Amino acid sequence: MKLLRIGAKGAEKPAILAEDGSIRDLSGIVDDIGGATLGADGLAKIAAADISSLPQLDAGDRIGPCVANVGKFICIGLNYADHAAETGAPIPAEPILFMKATSAIIGPNDDVIIPKNSIKPDWEVELGVVIGKEARYVDEADALDYVAGYCVVNDLSERHFQTERGGQWVKGKSADTFGPIGPWMVTRDEVADPQQLGMWLEVDGKRFQDGSTKTMIFGVAHVVAYVSQFMSLQPGDIITTGTPPGVGMGVKPEPVWLKPGNVMRLGIEGLGEQQQSVKAWSA
């Protein structure tokens, strides 16, 4: 199933992408696409519905973040061998964890705002993993049982804030609008192997990232199991799992940074596409 949320910010309706391409309103089935819905019971309730009989929503309406009320937005750093190489960083011995503020989350096609005092804004297409049931100290062999589904994430970064302002990476990752997610969450049963997904990102029509989840250092199952050793994972939490090469900071001979007027397009095989216009910050 491809689950999404349609409508103005703060007034999104839960929805499903039907097989005929129409968008159907799930408001009569579930309250929202969030933690309470993403467990086995909630997804089974949606799966049992007669989708063709549900009200049709306007496909031209705004698509909101595909998951509502995300509790934790957890990120894995330098998780692609080829991306680590382009940044000059060593291959991590264990997954690098950091957090991204949930206030960064926006819809997949909403505008991205360059924050005040930004110098080096950058892009990162990533596979997002949406948790479906509470996970504590899970084994890697069982880890995917705790996954509700997957989505596209643009893990936008301000590299100056991230690496040159001291402290942890979170300050370079958490600006408002720096977390587009969606267009939909694809349930786990529709993704045969999360380690075999092509992914790409373009800026103004030029392709910068063209990779695959197969080059992850630590795969999805390992990451879910690993994170659960340090904190419980709750339904609706999102883990974004790292980016392949081609980020702006890695461009040679000179890095390329986002600027107002740019348009980013990005996608992951089977998980849909995003498009964001880049705007300047204003008071």
Side-chain angles (χ1 to χ4, degrees):
M1 296 182 294
K2 293 178 174 66
L3 305 179
L4 66 161
R5 303 172 65 248
I6 296 287
K9 184 178 179 180
E12 296 93 343
K13 292 182 177 182
I16 186 169
L17 184 68
E19 290 186 5
D20 64 0
S22 64
I23 298 173
R24 302 290 176 155
D25 188 353
L26 289 174
S27 297
I29 308 297
V30 295
D31 291 335
D32 208 339
I33 307 300
T37 299
L38 294 173
D41 291 346
L43 294 180
K45 191 174 182 181
I46 296 172
D50 179 5
I51 302 303
S52 64
S53 69
L54 298 176
Q56 189 166 333
L57 297 174
D58 187 342
D61 285 350
R62 171 185 176 267
I63 302 176
C66 58
V67 179
N69 303 315
V70 175
K72 292 190 286 297
F73 203 173
I74 304 163
C75 306
I76 309 297
L78 298 174
N79 195 31
Y80 284 70
D82 34 12
H83 172 57
E86 75 171 342
T87 65
I91 300 297
E94 297 187 32
I96 296 172
L97 304 186
F98 62 95
M99 307 292 278
K100 194 175 182 84
T102 55
S103 53
I105 292 173
I106 58 171
N109 305 317
D110 290 344
D111 291 343
V112 164
I113 309 300
I114 295 177
K116 184 178 181 180
N117 301 318
S118 172
I119 298 173
K120 300 177 178 180
D122 203 351
W123 59 81
E124 296 187 7
V125 59
E126 304 203 5
L127 174 66
V129 179
V130 183
I131 300 301
K133 66 176 180 178
E134 189 172 62
R136 287 189 178 91
Y137 303 111
V138 304
D139 294 328
E140 184 172 343
D142 302 322
L144 294 186
D145 294 341
Y146 294 83
V147 173
Y150 303 95
C151 65
V152 181
V153 176
N154 191 351
D155 177 22
L156 288 137
S157 311
E158 211 302 336
R159 304 298 188 186
H160 177 64
F161 297 173
Q162 178 185 358
T163 63
E164 300 171 40
R165 296 287 299 272
Q168 298 179 345
W169 290 358
V170 65
K171 69 176 67 173
K173 297 285 189 170
S174 295
D176 290 353
T177 77
F178 268 28
I181 62 172
W184 40 72
M185 187 204 79
V186 179
T187 51
R188 177 168 51 91
D189 59 294
E190 293 195 5
V191 179
D193 185 352
Q195 305 310 147
Q196 296 293 330
L197 302 176
M199 56 204 308
W200 55 274
L201 182 144
E202 298 174 350
V203 180
D204 295 342
K206 179 178 179 179
R207 184 156 296 199
F208 284 91
Q209 292 188 275
D210 198 354
S212 170
T213 58
K214 67 184 179 183
T215 67
M216 278 187 191
I217 300 166
F218 306 105
V220 171
H222 184 94
V223 164
V224 172
Y226 184 85
V227 174
S228 78
Q229 309 306 307
F230 301 97
M231 65 192 82
S232 64
L233 295 169
Q234 311 297 327
D237 287 350
I238 294 177
I239 304 174
T240 189
T241 52
T243 198
V247 298
M249 70 180 294
V251 175
K252 302 292 190 289
E254 295 292 333
V256 174
W257 308 117
L258 290 168
K259 60 184 184 296
N262 287 153
V263 175
M264 291 176 284
R265 290 184 62 242
L266 58 149
I268 298 178
E269 181 182 352
L271 304 185
E273 298 183 9
Q274 303 183 353
Q275 179 170 306
Q276 299 106 28
S277 296
V278 180
K279 308 290 187 182
W281 181 88
S282 61

